[in-house]
Amino acid sequence: MRLDIVSIDPRSHTPVYVQLAELLRRRVESGDLQPGSLLPSESHLSQEYGIGRDAVRAAIALLRSEGVMTTTKGRGTWVREAPRRTDIELAPGGSTVARMPSSRERREMDLDEGVPVLEIHGPDGDVQIRPADQTRVTRPQSD
Amino acid sequence: MRLDIVSIDPRSHTPVYVQLAELLRRRVESGDLQPGSLLPSESHLSQEYGIGRDAVRAAIALLRSEGVMTTTKGRGTWVREAPRRTDIELAPGGSTVARMPSSRERREMDLDEGVPVLEIHGPDGDVQIRPADQTRVTRPQSD
DNA sequence: GTACATTTGTTCGTATGTATT
DNA sequence: TAATACATACGAACAAATGTA
């Protein structure tokens, strides 16, 4: 049973698209919208909430940038299913940093929006770049 | 050898806003636009390149999402200055993953757009969340 | 303290292009 | 082919934040 906010107030000081994003995020977090499930179309959401299509698109873009949703042109928007993470052992003397990929890297590695990359540096200056949503960097209990 | 794009072709199959983003990114990478420097206003860029303001905003939004630019309402857009990274030693038996922060986390930690967070898990289940652009996770050469 | 100019933010309207079913 | 859905792009208007005279 849900008592969440189900309508949007255009007179609020909070932008309409932020309200919609929060509403949708809450539905994901509560399990009401399961990973893999399809969202209503932009036009549908636009009409359902009585807001402009730009606002719907902005809300979805925000959630995409957080890695919560993923959109396919001509098909629709889904709640993103995060892939399983593979453990990578950080070498002695190694290090790792995270950052957002450039557009080119995102294209070449076929990354969803809102997915960072991990730069894993070995002790000899070698660098490995991996999708952050598929990676967990570990250090073993004892060497 | 590639000649840099210095103008924008509205008939190209590459979207206008992507062309502008690439153009600006190249100017940053080449050092022509230094970190900390102010971009021309959206209206100025719109007129200079003969494109709509929406396209300019989309280009800048793209660069923000990559952590390249940062924008302040009412003031302008700057080339982002990345902070210095602090080393965090990954504990034996610990692990770390990277992801994008939620809107709330971004607000609470005062993170720029396009900045991931690192979840640093200790061996005892404790979790530390740090801005990825200020953090380097290391493992010492020998324990 | 006010008023103003500048700049970014939000929203709507409209049109066209591209991808999928 | 047709219908549906997302992507790009233009214009326009007003709101909100900032800095300055």
Side-chain angles (χ1 to χ4, degrees), chain B residues 22-42:
Chain B
E22 288 177 351
L23 191 157
L24 292 173
R25 195 191 347 261
R26 209 148 33 225
R27 289 184 61 187
V28 172
E29 285 165 357
S30 74
D32 180 27
L33 283 172
Q34 292 287 322
S37 64
L38 177 65
L39 244 61
S41 76
E42 294 175 354

Side-chain angles (χ1 to χ4, degrees), chain B residues 80-132:
Chain B
R80 192 163 163 274
E81 302 184 82
R84 186 180 308 281
R85 289 184 195 270
T86 300
D87 283 359
I88 300 284
E89 188 181 311
L90 190 58
S95 67
T96 186
V97 299
R99 60 171 173 78
M100 290 312 280
S102 68
S103 295
R104 155 182 283 192
E105 286 174 320
R106 206 152 70 70
R107 208 168 39 242
E108 288 175 352
M109 302 177 71
D110 192 33
L111 298 173
D112 281 338
E113 272 184 68
V115 177
V117 290
L118 281 167
E119 277 182 17
I120 304 172
H121 297 254
D124 304 324
D126 53 306
V127 182
Q128 195 185 151
I129 298 192
R130 285 187 47 87

Side-chain angles (χ1 to χ4, degrees), chain B residues 7 11-12 18 24 26 51 54 57 62 64 68 95 106 122 131 136 141:
Chain B
S7 68
R11 294 183 317 282
S12 164
V18 175
L24 292 173
R26 209 148 33 225
I51 62 182
D54 273 9
R57 287 181 59 74
L62 187 57
R64 269 202 308 269
V68 176
S95 67
R106 206 152 70 70
R136 188 171 75 137
Q141 191 61 247

Side-chain angles (χ1 to χ4, degrees), chain A residues 69-106:
Chain A
M69 305 271 181
T70 183
T71 299
T72 304
K73 184 174 175 176
R75 297 221 295 140
T77 297
W78 284 262
V79 180
R80 192 162 163 275
E81 302 184 83
R84 186 180 307 282
R85 290 184 195 269
T86 300
D87 283 0
I88 300 284
E89 189 181 310
L90 191 57
S95 68
T96 185
V97 300
R99 60 170 173 79
M100 290 312 281
S102 68
S103 296
R104 156 184 284 191
E105 286 174 320
R106 206 154 67 72

Side-chain angles (χ1 to χ4, degrees), chain A residues 8 26 34 41 44 55 71 100 124:
Chain A
I8 285 171
R26 213 153 25 226
Q34 291 288 321
S41 74
H44 184 97
T71 299
M100 290 312 281
D124 304 323

Side-chain angles (χ1 to χ4, degrees), chain A residues 66 90 93 96 103 137 139 143, chain B residues 66 90 93 96 103 137 139 143:
Chain A
E66 294 173 9
L90 191 57
T96 185
S103 296
V137 175
R139 177 183 176 188
D143 297 321
Chain B
E66 295 172 10
L90 190 58
T96 186
S103 295
V137 175
R139 176 181 175 190
D143 296 321

